[in-house]
Amino acid sequence: MTILGIETSCDDCCVALVKDGKHILAETQASQQSIHGKFNGVVPEFASRSHLAHITPLVKQVLADAGFAIKKVDGIAVTAFPGLHSSLLIGVSFAKALAYAASVPCVTVNHLLAHLYAAQLAYDIAYPHIGLIVSGGHTQLGVVHSYDNFEIFGSTIDDACGEAFDKVAVHLGLGYPGGIEIDALARRGSWKSARFPDSKLKHRSQYDLSYSGLKSAVIHQLRLFWNNAYPYSIVNIAAAFQKKAIDMLLTRIATLVQETGLHVVVGGGGVLANSYLRHALQNSPHYSAVIPPHALCTDNASMIAGVGYRYLQR
Ligand code: KG4
Ligand code: ZN
């Protein structure tokens, strides 16, 4: 079964053709970084207009690359939730119209389930396992029981992890999205230069997280937490912030592993590119981590086609 996947939940317009939920026949995407970069964040109206401009040529390109006619596709899968409404609207409307015109079925896919499925495109991972989604828009931890059943144990109650990286990066003059720059600077700094307190989340699950306090501490109150034995430098700021932001995830993963007895942790989302997070996940003595290749961690349409295949097969 060959499924055309469409992903327009945020600022990447992505299209892919995937066979049997596993084999990527063709994929492409149009990044909007040059549009949103100067605003230090995604501008929804510009995002949806760009999706509208790119979606038809991208679909044509993927079909041509794979040598496929649209009528030979077994179905179309499209991200329907969660995301920016105006961006989702373009993908969903386009997918429904194309499916109607080509007389093929159309299924909608939850973006977060797709992030968790992405690893299945590269490996065969048994269910259940622990799932971690860390991106610019989402931060969630839980147990993945199947491709369509994610039991969420904890989420951020405010900013996503990647969003905190991006806001701190803008504050440090590193541009947007600046997670990768913080990562690079942190390698040259000392995380011991500042000690940030844990966020106190009253009446919340022990797995929930908060990033807005850490973000504000770095941006507005850094001197309060600074260790004066260290120079007040950008590399040290980056290292201290990164360590705290990632350790919040690592401690919760460790607890969930212990509590559930599940020893495989599968990741998804662009923050998995972070070198400190990757190193910690891959070297834990308590679990084995599955981190998909970078192109499958960030937003992509192959993961949408993968989940769509499972639905249509069912
Ligand atoms: O999944 P993704 O490509 O897009 C969405 O959020 O939908 O994730 C992008 C996020 C951005 O916040 C970016 O700054 C962050 O991932 N990111 C990183 C690194 N590379 C990308 N954060 C920390 N360290 C990195 N190396
Ligand atoms: Zn995403």
Side-chain angles (χ1 to χ4, degrees):
M1 225 190 239
T2 303
I3 308 297
L4 182 75
I6 294 175
E7 153 65 41
T8 66
S9 68
C10 189
D11 60 337
D12 290 314
C13 190
C14 315
V15 179
L17 199 62
V18 177
K19 188 164 186 283
D20 297 339
K22 196 84 193 162
H23 310 289
I24 302 169
L25 304 182
E27 67 177 332
T28 188
Q29 57 178 279
S31 163
Q32 300 179 5
Q33 205 159 313
S34 60
I35 299 173
H36 305 292
K38 50 184 170 289
F39 300 102
N40 293 329
V42 176
V43 183
E45 180 66 22
F46 290 160
S48 57
R49 284 171 189 270
S50 177
H51 287 311
L52 193 56
H54 285 104
I55 195 158
T56 306
L58 291 182
V59 167
K60 284 184 176 166
Q61 184 193 329
V62 157
L63 292 171
D65 287 353
F68 244 80
I70 186 65
K71 285 191 184 293
K72 289 193 71 185
V73 165
D74 295 293
I76 298 176
V78 59
T79 307
F81 184 81
L84 298 173
H85 285 196
S86 49
S87 289
L88 291 164
L89 180 69
I90 305 299
V92 172
S93 306
F94 182 91
K96 285 168 74 175
L98 183 60
Y100 182 74
S103 300
V104 297
C106 181
V107 281
T108 55
V109 171
N110 178 303
H111 183 80
L112 300 176
L113 291 177
H115 266 305
L116 294 166
Y117 184 85
Q120 303 283 358
L121 289 156
Y123 314 99
D124 291 311
I125 308 150
Y127 296 105
H129 53 254
I130 287 172
L132 169 73
I133 304 170
V134 260
S135 70
H138 307 283
T139 307
Q140 290 185 320
L141 178 67
V143 174
V144 190
H145 294 283
S146 73
Y147 67 88
D148 67 344
N149 184 354
F150 180 39
E151 185 184 358
I152 297 170
F153 278 68
S155 302
T156 178
I157 64 162
D158 39 56
D159 296 346
C161 180
E163 192 181 351
F165 270 88
D166 293 339
K167 295 278 162 57
V168 167
V170 166
H171 172 72
L172 297 176
L174 302 171
Y176 169 86
I180 190 167
E181 275 78 15
I182 293 197
D183 187 358
L185 290 172
R187 278 178 235 165
R188 296 192 277 123
S190 170
W191 61 265
K192 292 181 182 160
S193 56
R195 183 179 301 193
F196 300 107
D198 290 326
S199 355
K200 297 215 168 32
L201 305 183
K202 275 190 194 158
H203 316 301
R204 303 292 305 210
S205 150
Q206 62 174 323
Y207 297 104
D208 279 340
L209 308 102
S210 164
Y211 280 100
S212 90
L214 174 62
K215 176 190 72 181
S216 299
V218 174
I219 295 176
H220 300 295
Q221 296 183 302
L222 194 50
R223 293 279 180 192
L224 282 180
F225 306 104
W226 199 258
N227 176 346
N228 288 324
Y230 291 83
Y232 197 77
S233 63
I234 193 166
V235 290
N236 284 341
I237 297 170
F241 161 73
Q242 172 176 278
K243 169 98 168 111
K244 186 70 191 180
I246 299 299
D247 281 354
M248 281 199 251
L249 298 168
L250 297 173
T251 53
R252 285 161 179 77
I253 294 168
T255 310
L256 193 57
V257 165
Q258 206 170 16
E259 214 163 270
T260 59
L262 296 171
H263 295 283
V264 174
V265 178
V266 176
V271 180
L272 282 170
N274 184 268
S275 57
Y276 171 56
L277 175 61
R278 292 177 82 89
H279 183 266
L281 289 174
Q282 284 164 340
N283 290 284
S284 169
H286 304 295
Y287 53 83
S288 56
V290 181
I291 303 175
H294 185 62
L296 288 174
C297 283
T298 57
D299 285 350
N300 66 87
S302 297
M303 65 185 189
I304 308 300
V307 176
Y309 163 74
R310 299 282 161 199
Y311 284 133
L312 286 170
Q313 191 190 38
R314 185 171 70 187

Coordinates of all heavy atoms in Angstrom, one line a residue, residues 131-216:
G131 N 7.9 6.9 25.2 CA 8.0 7.9 24.1 C 8.3 9.3 24.6 O 7.8 9.7 25.6
L132 N 9.2 10.0 23.9 CA 9.6 11.3 24.3 C 9.5 12.2 23.0 O 10.1 11.9 22.0 CB 11.0 11.3 24.8 CG 11.7 12.7 25.0 CD1 11.1 13.4 26.2 CD2 13.2 12.6 25.1
I133 N 8.7 13.3 23.1 CA 8.6 14.2 22.0 C 9.1 15.6 22.5 O 8.6 16.1 23.5 CB 7.1 14.4 21.5 CG1 6.5 13.1 21.2 CG2 7.1 15.4 20.3 CD1 5.0 13.2 20.9
V134 N 10.2 16.0 21.9 CA 10.7 17.4 22.2 C 11.0 18.2 21.0 O 11.9 17.9 20.2 CB 12.1 17.2 23.0 CG1 11.8 17.4 24.5 CG2 12.9 16.0 22.7
S135 N 10.2 19.2 20.8 CA 10.4 20.0 19.6 C 10.2 21.5 20.0 O 10.1 21.8 21.1 CB 9.3 19.6 18.5 OG 8.0 19.9 18.9
G136 N 10.0 22.3 18.9 CA 9.8 23.7 19.2 C 8.4 24.0 19.7 O 8.1 25.0 20.3
G137 N 7.5 23.0 19.4 CA 6.1 23.2 19.8 C 5.6 22.3 20.9 O 4.6 22.5 21.5
H138 N 6.3 21.2 21.1 CA 5.8 20.2 22.0 C 6.9 19.6 22.9 O 8.0 19.5 22.5 CB 5.2 19.0 21.2 CG 4.2 19.5 20.2 ND1 2.9 19.9 20.6 CD2 4.3 19.7 18.9 CE1 2.3 20.3 19.5 NE2 3.0 20.2 18.5
T139 N 6.5 19.2 24.1 CA 7.3 18.5 25.1 C 6.5 17.5 25.8 O 5.7 17.9 26.7 CB 8.0 19.4 26.0 OG1 8.6 20.5 25.3 CG2 9.1 18.7 26.9
Q140 N 6.6 16.2 25.5 CA 5.7 15.2 26.1 C 6.4 13.9 26.4 O 7.3 13.5 25.6 CB 4.5 15.0 25.2 CG 3.5 16.2 25.2 CD 2.3 15.9 24.5 OE1 2.3 15.3 23.4 NE2 1.2 16.4 24.9
L141 N 6.0 13.3 27.5 CA 6.7 12.0 27.8 C 5.6 11.1 28.2 O 4.6 11.4 28.9 CB 7.6 12.3 29.0 CG 8.3 11.1 29.6 CD1 9.3 10.5 28.7 CD2 9.0 11.5 30.9
G142 N 5.7 9.8 27.8 CA 4.6 8.9 28.2 C 5.0 7.5 27.7 O 6.1 7.2 27.3
V143 N 3.9 6.6 27.7 CA 4.1 5.2 27.2 C 3.3 5.1 25.9 O 2.2 5.5 25.8 CB 3.5 4.3 28.3 CG1 3.5 2.8 27.7 CG2 4.3 4.3 29.5
V144 N 4.1 4.6 24.9 CA 3.5 4.4 23.6 C 3.0 2.9 23.5 O 3.8 2.0 23.5 CB 4.5 4.6 22.4 CG1 3.8 4.6 21.1 CG2 5.3 5.9 22.7
H145 N 1.7 2.7 23.5 CA 1.1 1.4 23.5 C 1.0 0.8 22.1 O 1.0 -0.4 21.9 CB -0.2 1.4 24.2 CG -0.1 1.7 25.7 ND1 0.3 0.8 26.6 CD2 -0.4 2.9 26.3 CE1 0.3 1.4 27.8 NE2 -0.1 2.6 27.7
S146 N 0.8 1.7 21.1 CA 0.7 1.3 19.7 C 0.8 2.6 18.9 O 0.9 3.7 19.4 CB -0.7 0.6 19.5 OG -1.7 1.6 19.5
Y147 N 0.7 2.4 17.6 CA 0.8 3.6 16.7 C -0.2 4.7 17.0 O -0.1 5.8 16.6 CB 0.8 3.2 15.2 CG -0.5 2.6 14.8 CD1 -1.5 3.5 14.3 CD2 -0.8 1.3 14.8 CE1 -2.7 3.0 13.9 CE2 -2.0 0.8 14.4 CZ -3.0 1.6 14.0 OH -4.2 1.2 13.6
D148 N -1.4 4.3 17.6 CA -2.4 5.2 17.8 C -2.8 5.4 19.3 O -3.9 5.8 19.6 CB -3.7 5.0 16.9 CG -4.4 3.7 17.3 OD1 -3.8 2.9 18.1 OD2 -5.5 3.5 16.9
N149 N -1.9 4.9 20.1 CA -2.3 5.0 21.6 C -1.0 5.5 22.4 O -0.1 4.7 22.6 CB -2.8 3.6 22.0 CG -3.2 3.7 23.5 OD1 -3.0 4.7 24.2 ND2 -3.7 2.6 24.0
F150 N -1.0 6.7 22.7 CA 0.1 7.3 23.5 C -0.5 7.8 24.8 O -1.4 8.7 24.9 CB 0.6 8.5 22.7 CG 1.8 9.2 23.4 CD1 2.8 8.5 24.1 CD2 1.9 10.6 23.3 CE1 3.8 9.2 24.7 CE2 2.9 11.3 24.0 CZ 3.9 10.6 24.6
E151 N -0.1 7.1 25.9 CA -0.5 7.4 27.2 C 0.4 8.5 27.8 O 1.6 8.2 28.1 CB -0.5 6.2 28.1 CG -1.1 6.4 29.5 CD -0.9 5.1 30.4 OE1 -0.5 4.1 29.9 OE2 -1.3 5.2 31.6
I152 N -0.1 9.7 27.8 CA 0.8 10.8 28.2 C 0.9 10.9 29.8 O -0.1 11.0 30.5 CB 0.3 12.2 27.7 CG1 0.2 12.2 26.2 CG2 1.1 13.3 28.2 CD1 -0.5 13.3 25.5
F153 N 2.2 10.8 30.2 CA 2.4 10.9 31.7 C 2.8 12.3 32.1 O 2.4 12.8 33.2 CB 3.6 10.0 32.1 CG 3.1 8.6 32.3 CD1 2.7 7.8 31.3 CD2 3.1 8.0 33.6 CE1 2.3 6.5 31.5 CE2 2.7 6.7 33.8 CZ 2.3 5.9 32.8
G154 N 3.4 13.0 31.2 CA 3.8 14.4 31.5 C 4.0 15.3 30.3 O 4.3 14.8 29.2
S155 N 3.7 16.6 30.4 CA 3.8 17.5 29.3 C 4.3 18.8 29.9 O 4.2 19.1 31.1 CB 2.4 17.9 28.7 OG 1.8 16.8 28.3
T156 N 4.8 19.7 29.1 CA 5.1 21.0 29.6 C 3.8 21.7 29.9 O 2.8 21.5 29.2 CB 6.0 21.8 28.6 OG1 6.2 23.1 29.1 CG2 5.3 22.0 27.2
I157 N 3.8 22.5 30.9 CA 2.6 23.3 31.3 C 2.7 24.7 30.6 O 1.7 25.4 30.7 CB 2.4 23.4 32.8 CG1 3.5 24.2 33.5 CG2 2.2 22.0 33.4 CD1 3.1 24.7 34.8
D158 N 3.8 25.0 30.0 CA 3.9 26.3 29.4 C 4.7 26.2 28.1 O 4.2 25.7 27.1 CB 4.5 27.4 30.4 CG 5.6 26.8 31.3 OD1 6.6 26.3 30.7 OD2 5.5 26.9 32.5
D159 N 6.0 26.7 28.1 CA 6.7 26.7 26.8 C 7.2 25.3 26.5 O 7.5 24.5 27.4 CB 8.0 27.5 27.0 CG 7.7 29.0 27.2 OD1 6.5 29.4 26.9 OD2 8.6 29.8 27.6
A160 N 7.4 25.0 25.2 CA 8.0 23.7 24.9 C 9.5 23.9 25.1 O 10.1 25.0 25.1 CB 7.7 23.4 23.4
C161 N 10.2 22.7 25.2 CA 11.7 22.8 25.4 C 12.4 23.5 24.3 O 13.2 24.4 24.6 CB 12.2 21.3 25.5 SG 13.9 21.2 25.8
G162 N 12.1 23.2 23.0 CA 12.7 23.9 21.9 C 12.4 25.4 21.9 O 13.3 26.2 21.5
E163 N 11.2 25.7 22.3 CA 10.8 27.1 22.4 C 11.7 27.9 23.4 O 12.1 29.0 23.1 CB 9.3 27.2 22.8 CG 8.7 28.5 22.7 CD 7.2 28.4 23.2 OE1 6.7 27.2 23.4 OE2 6.6 29.4 23.3
A164 N 12.0 27.2 24.5 CA 12.8 27.9 25.5 C 14.2 28.1 24.9 O 14.9 29.1 25.1 CB 12.9 27.0 26.8
F165 N 14.8 27.1 24.2 CA 16.1 27.2 23.5 C 16.0 28.4 22.6 O 16.9 29.2 22.5 CB 16.4 25.9 22.8 CG 17.2 24.9 23.5 CD1 16.5 24.0 24.3 CD2 18.6 24.9 23.5 CE1 17.3 23.0 25.0 CE2 19.3 24.0 24.3 CZ 18.6 23.0 25.0
D166 N 14.9 28.5 21.8 CA 14.8 29.5 20.8 C 14.7 30.9 21.4 O 15.3 31.9 20.9 CB 13.6 29.3 19.9 CG 13.8 28.0 19.0 OD1 14.9 27.6 18.8 OD2 12.8 27.5 18.6
K167 N 14.0 31.0 22.6 CA 13.8 32.4 23.2 C 15.1 32.8 23.8 O 15.5 34.0 23.7 CB 12.7 32.3 24.2 CG 11.3 32.0 23.7 CD 10.7 33.3 23.1 CE 9.5 33.1 22.2 NZ 8.4 32.3 22.7
V168 N 15.8 31.8 24.5 CA 17.1 32.2 25.1 C 18.1 32.5 23.9 O 18.9 33.5 24.1 CB 17.6 31.0 25.9 CG1 19.1 31.2 26.3 CG2 16.8 30.9 27.2
A169 N 18.0 31.8 22.8 CA 19.0 32.1 21.7 C 18.7 33.5 21.2 O 19.7 34.3 20.9 CB 18.8 31.1 20.6
V170 N 17.5 33.9 21.0 CA 17.2 35.3 20.6 C 17.8 36.3 21.5 O 18.4 37.3 21.2 CB 15.7 35.5 20.4 CG1 15.3 37.0 20.2 CG2 15.2 34.7 19.2
H171 N 17.5 36.0 22.8 CA 18.1 36.9 23.9 C 19.6 37.1 23.8 O 20.1 38.1 24.0 CB 17.7 36.4 25.3 CG 18.3 37.1 26.4 ND1 17.9 38.4 26.8 CD2 19.3 36.7 27.3 CE1 18.7 38.8 27.8 NE2 19.5 37.8 28.1
L172 N 20.3 36.0 23.4 CA 21.7 36.0 23.4 C 22.2 36.5 22.0 O 23.4 36.5 21.7 CB 22.3 34.6 23.6 CG 22.0 34.0 25.0 CD1 22.6 32.6 25.1 CD2 22.7 34.9 26.1
G173 N 21.3 36.9 21.1 CA 21.6 37.4 19.8 C 22.0 36.4 18.8 O 22.8 36.6 17.9
L174 N 21.5 35.2 19.0 CA 21.9 34.0 18.1 C 21.0 33.8 17.0 O 21.2 32.9 16.2 CB 22.1 32.8 19.0 CG 23.1 32.8 20.1 CD1 22.9 31.6 21.0 CD2 24.5 33.0 19.6
G175 N 19.9 34.6 16.8 CA 19.0 34.4 15.7 C 18.0 33.3 16.1 O 17.9 32.8 17.2
Y176 N 17.1 33.0 15.1 CA 16.0 32.1 15.3 C 16.0 31.1 14.1 O 16.1 31.5 13.0 CB 14.7 32.8 15.3 CG 13.5 31.9 15.3 CD1 13.0 31.3 16.4 CD2 12.9 31.6 14.0 CE1 11.9 30.4 16.3 CE2 11.8 30.7 14.0 CZ 11.3 30.1 15.1 OH 10.3 29.3 15.1
P177 N 15.7 29.8 14.3 CA 15.7 29.1 15.6 C 17.1 28.8 16.1 O 17.9 28.3 15.3 CB 14.9 27.8 15.3 CG 15.2 27.6 13.8 CD 15.4 28.9 13.2
G178 N 17.4 29.1 17.3 CA 18.8 29.1 17.8 C 19.2 27.9 18.7 O 20.3 28.0 19.3
G179 N 18.4 26.9 18.7 CA 18.7 25.7 19.6 C 20.1 25.2 19.2 O 20.9 24.9 20.1
I180 N 20.3 25.1 18.0 CA 21.6 24.5 17.5 C 22.8 25.3 17.9 O 23.9 24.8 18.2 CB 21.5 24.2 16.0 CG1 22.7 23.3 15.5 CG2 21.4 25.4 15.2 CD1 22.5 22.8 14.1
E181 N 22.6 26.7 17.9 CA 23.7 27.6 18.2 C 24.0 27.4 19.7 O 25.2 27.4 20.2 CB 23.4 29.0 17.9 CG 23.7 29.4 16.5 CD 22.7 28.9 15.5 OE1 21.6 28.5 15.9 OE2 23.0 28.9 14.3
I182 N 23.0 27.3 20.6 CA 23.2 27.2 22.0 C 23.9 25.9 22.3 O 24.9 25.8 23.0 CB 21.8 27.1 22.7 CG1 21.2 28.5 22.6 CG2 22.0 26.7 24.2 CD1 20.1 28.8 23.6
D183 N 23.5 24.8 21.6 CA 24.2 23.5 21.7 C 25.7 23.7 21.4 O 26.6 23.2 22.1 CB 23.5 22.6 20.7 CG 24.0 21.1 20.8 OD1 24.9 20.9 21.6 OD2 23.5 20.3 20.0
A184 N 26.0 24.4 20.3 CA 27.4 24.5 19.9 C 28.2 25.4 20.9 O 29.3 25.0 21.3 CB 27.5 25.2 18.5
L185 N 27.6 26.4 21.4 CA 28.3 27.3 22.4 C 28.5 26.5 23.7 O 29.5 26.6 24.3 CB 27.5 28.6 22.6 CG 27.4 29.6 21.5 CD1 26.4 30.7 21.8 CD2 28.8 30.2 21.2
A186 N 27.5 25.7 24.1 CA 27.5 25.0 25.4 C 28.7 24.1 25.5 O 29.2 23.8 26.5 CB 26.2 24.3 25.6
R187 N 29.1 23.6 24.3 CA 30.2 22.6 24.3 C 31.5 23.3 24.8 O 32.4 22.7 25.3 CB 30.4 22.0 22.9 CG 29.5 20.9 22.6 CD 29.7 20.4 21.2 NE 28.4 20.4 20.6 CZ 28.2 20.3 19.3 NH1 29.2 20.2 18.5 NH2 27.0 20.3 18.8
R188 N 31.6 24.6 24.7 CA 32.8 25.4 25.1 C 32.6 26.0 26.5 O 33.5 26.7 26.9 CB 33.1 26.4 24.0 CG 33.5 25.8 22.7 CD 34.1 26.8 21.7 NE 33.1 27.6 21.1 CZ 33.0 28.9 21.1 NH1 33.9 29.6 21.8 NH2 32.1 29.6 20.4
G189 N 31.5 25.8 27.1 CA 31.3 26.5 28.4 C 31.2 25.5 29.5 O 31.2 24.3 29.3
S190 N 31.0 26.0 30.7 CA 30.8 25.2 31.9 C 29.4 25.3 32.5 O 28.9 26.4 32.8 CB 31.8 25.5 33.0 OG 31.4 24.8 34.2
W191 N 28.7 24.2 32.6 CA 27.3 24.2 33.1 C 27.3 24.6 34.6 O 26.3 25.0 35.2 CB 26.6 22.9 32.9 CG 27.2 21.7 33.6 CD1 28.1 20.8 33.0 CD2 27.0 21.2 34.9 NE1 28.4 19.8 33.9 CE2 27.8 20.1 35.1 CE3 26.2 21.7 36.0 CZ2 27.8 19.4 36.3 CZ3 26.3 21.0 37.2 CH2 27.1 19.8 37.3
K192 N 28.5 24.5 35.3 CA 28.5 24.9 36.7 C 28.4 26.4 36.9 O 28.4 26.8 38.1 CB 29.8 24.3 37.3 CG 29.7 22.8 37.4 CD 31.0 22.2 38.0 CE 30.9 20.7 38.0 NZ 32.2 20.1 38.1
S193 N 28.5 27.2 35.9 CA 28.5 28.6 36.0 C 27.2 29.2 36.6 O 27.2 30.3 37.1 CB 28.8 29.3 34.7 OG 27.8 28.8 33.7
A194 N 26.1 28.5 36.5 CA 24.9 29.0 37.1 C 24.1 27.8 37.6 O 24.1 26.7 37.0 CB 24.0 29.8 36.1
R195 N 23.4 28.0 38.7 CA 22.5 26.9 39.2 C 21.1 27.4 39.3 O 20.7 28.3 40.1 CB 23.0 26.5 40.6 CG 22.2 25.3 41.1 CD 22.6 24.9 42.5 NE 24.0 24.5 42.4 CZ 24.6 23.8 43.4 NH1 24.0 23.5 44.5 NH2 25.9 23.5 43.3
F196 N 20.3 26.8 38.5 CA 18.8 27.2 38.4 C 18.0 26.3 39.3 O 18.2 25.1 39.3 CB 18.3 27.2 37.0 CG 19.1 28.1 36.0 CD1 20.0 27.5 35.1 CD2 19.0 29.5 36.1 CE1 20.7 28.4 34.3 CE2 19.7 30.3 35.3 CZ 20.6 29.7 34.4
P197 N 17.0 26.9 40.0 CA 16.2 26.1 40.9 C 15.2 25.2 40.0 O 14.9 25.5 38.9 CB 15.4 27.1 41.7 CG 15.4 28.3 40.9 CD 16.7 28.3 40.1
D198 N 14.7 24.1 40.6 CA 13.7 23.3 40.0 C 12.4 24.1 40.0 O 12.1 24.8 40.9 CB 13.5 22.0 40.7 CG 14.7 21.1 40.6 OD1 15.3 21.1 39.5 OD2 15.0 20.4 41.5
S199 N 11.6 23.9 38.9 CA 10.3 24.6 39.0 C 9.4 23.8 39.9 O 9.4 22.5 39.9 CB 9.6 24.6 37.6 OG 10.5 24.1 36.6
K200 N 8.6 24.5 40.7 CA 7.7 23.8 41.6 C 6.3 23.8 41.0 O 5.7 24.8 40.9 CB 7.7 24.5 43.0 CG 9.1 24.6 43.6 CD 9.0 24.5 45.1 CE 10.3 24.2 45.8 NZ 11.5 24.7 45.2
L201 N 5.9 22.6 40.6 CA 4.6 22.5 40.0 C 3.6 21.9 40.9 O 3.5 20.6 41.0 CB 4.7 21.6 38.7 CG 5.8 22.1 37.7 CD1 5.8 21.2 36.5 CD2 5.6 23.5 37.3
K202 N 2.9 22.7 41.6 CA 1.9 22.3 42.6 C 0.8 21.5 41.9 O 0.3 22.0 40.9 CB 1.4 23.4 43.4 CG 2.3 23.8 44.6 CD 1.5 24.9 45.4 CE 2.5 25.5 46.4 NZ 2.0 26.8 46.8
H203 N 0.3 20.5 42.6 CA -0.9 19.8 42.1 C -0.7 19.2 40.6 O -1.7 19.1 39.9 CB -2.1 20.6 42.1 CG -2.3 21.4 43.4 ND1 -2.3 20.8 44.6 CD2 -2.3 22.7 43.7 CE1 -2.4 21.7 45.6 NE2 -2.4 22.9 45.0
R204 N 0.5 19.0 40.2 CA 0.7 18.5 38.9 C 1.4 17.1 39.0 O 2.0 16.7 40.0 CB 1.7 19.4 38.1 CG 1.2 20.8 37.9 CD 0.0 21.0 37.1 NE 0.1 20.5 35.8 CZ -0.5 21.0 34.7 NH1 -1.3 22.0 34.9 NH2 -0.4 20.4 33.5
S205 N 1.3 16.4 37.9 CA 2.0 15.1 37.8 C 3.5 15.3 38.0 O 4.0 16.4 37.5 CB 1.7 14.5 36.4 OG 2.8 13.7 36.0
Q206 N 4.2 14.3 38.6 CA 5.6 14.5 38.8 C 6.4 14.5 37.4 O 7.5 14.8 37.3 CB 6.2 13.3 39.6 CG 5.9 11.9 39.0 CD 6.6 10.8 39.8 OE1 7.7 11.0 40.3 NE2 5.9 9.7 39.9
Y207 N 5.6 14.1 36.3 CA 6.3 14.1 35.0 C 6.1 15.4 34.2 O 6.6 15.6 33.2 CB 5.7 12.9 34.2 CG 6.0 11.6 34.8 CD1 5.1 10.8 35.5 CD2 7.3 11.1 34.7 CE1 5.4 9.6 36.1 CE2 7.6 9.8 35.3 CZ 6.7 9.1 36.0 OH 7.0 8.0 36.6
D208 N 5.2 16.3 34.7 CA 5.0 17.5 34.0 C 6.3 18.4 34.1 O 7.1 18.2 35.0 CB 3.8 18.3 34.6 CG 2.5 17.7 34.0 OD1 2.5 17.1 33.0 OD2 1.4 18.0 34.7
L209 N 6.4 19.3 33.2 CA 7.6 20.2 33.1 C 7.1 21.6 32.9 O 6.0 21.9 32.5 CB 8.5 19.8 32.0 CG 9.0 18.4 31.7 CD1 8.2 17.8 30.6 CD2 10.4 18.4 31.4
S210 N 8.0 22.5 33.3 CA 7.8 23.9 33.0 C 9.1 24.5 32.5 O 10.2 24.3 33.1 CB 7.4 24.7 34.3 OG 7.5 26.0 34.1
Y211 N 9.0 25.3 31.4 CA 10.2 25.9 30.9 C 10.2 27.4 31.0 O 11.2 28.1 30.8 CB 10.5 25.5 29.4 CG 11.1 24.1 29.3 CD1 10.4 23.0 29.0 CD2 12.5 24.0 29.5 CE1 10.9 21.7 29.0 CE2 13.1 22.7 29.5 CZ 12.3 21.6 29.2 OH 12.9 20.4 29.1
S212 N 9.0 28.0 31.3 CA 9.0 29.4 31.2 C 9.8 30.1 32.4 O 10.4 31.1 32.2 CB 7.5 29.9 31.2 OG 7.0 30.1 32.5
G213 N 9.8 29.4 33.5 CA 10.6 30.0 34.7 C 12.1 30.0 34.3 O 12.8 31.0 34.6
L214 N 12.5 28.8 33.8 CA 14.0 28.7 33.4 C 14.3 29.8 32.4 O 15.3 30.5 32.5 CB 14.2 27.3 32.9 CG 15.7 27.1 32.3 CD1 16.7 27.3 33.4 CD2 15.8 25.7 31.7
K215 N 13.4 29.9 31.4 CA 13.6 30.9 30.3 C 13.7 32.3 30.9 O 14.7 33.1 30.6 CB 12.5 30.8 29.3 CG 12.5 31.8 28.2 CD 11.2 31.8 27.5 CE 10.0 32.5 28.3 NZ 8.8 32.4 27.6
S216 N 12.8 32.7 31.8 CA 12.8 34.0 32.4 C 14.0 34.2 33.3 O 14.6 35.3 33.4 CB 11.5 34.2 33.3 OG 10.4 34.1 32.4

